[in-house]
Amino acid sequence: AQQPGTPLSDQEYHQFFMSLRAAGRASTACLLRMLYGCQNPLVQRLDKYENHGAIPEGPICSELPGNPFFLNFCTFSLYRCTRKLYFIKV
C-alpha cells in the first residue's frame, strides 16, 4: 500500500482517470471544483482518491514543464482545470 498523500502510480492514474474520461467527467469534476471550491466534500473525496486517501499539504511539484510549483494541491488542481490539462500528475 502507498503512503497516504502520495500521488497515484502511473497505472493507478490510468485506472482513476479512465472513469473520468467517459462522457467528459473530468470537465464535470472541474466544474464542481470551480463552482464549489476545494473544500466541497465531493471534490475532497476525489482529491483524496487521487492521492491515496490524503490531500497533500503544502507546496506541490508537478510534471508540468516550466510550471512545476504550486502553493497547494487546490491551486494545482485549479490550474489543471483552467488549462484543461486534466491528467497531469504531481
Side-chain angles (χ1 to χ4, degrees), residues 20 24 32 78:
L20 292 179
L32 285 172
L78 287 170

Side-chain angles (χ1 to χ4, degrees), residues 13-87:
Y13 251 84
H14 178 73
Q15 183 178 356
F16 172 70
F17 284 114
M18 283 296 286
S19 64
L20 292 179
R21 288 180 189 193
R25 291 184 183 150
S27 62
T28 301
C30 281
L31 180 60
L32 285 172
R33 181 180 300 283
M34 288 188 263
L35 286 174
Y36 301 111
C38 295
Q39 301 307 313
N40 178 274
L42 177 58
V43 171
Q44 285 189 339
R45 195 162 65 225
L46 285 171
D47 290 348
K48 286 179 182 177
Y49 183 79
E50 183 179 348
N51 294 286
H52 291 105
I55 300 169
E57 294 183 23
I60 298 293
C61 294
S62 76
E63 293 182 349
L64 288 166
N67 218 359
F69 180 80
F70 297 90
L71 294 176
N72 54 42
F73 191 78
C74 181
T75 306
F76 168 68
S77 297
L78 287 170
Y79 179 88
R80 285 193 306 194
C81 287
T82 58
R83 303 290 180 162
K84 297 183 180 176
L85 300 170
Y86 306 121
F87 310 112

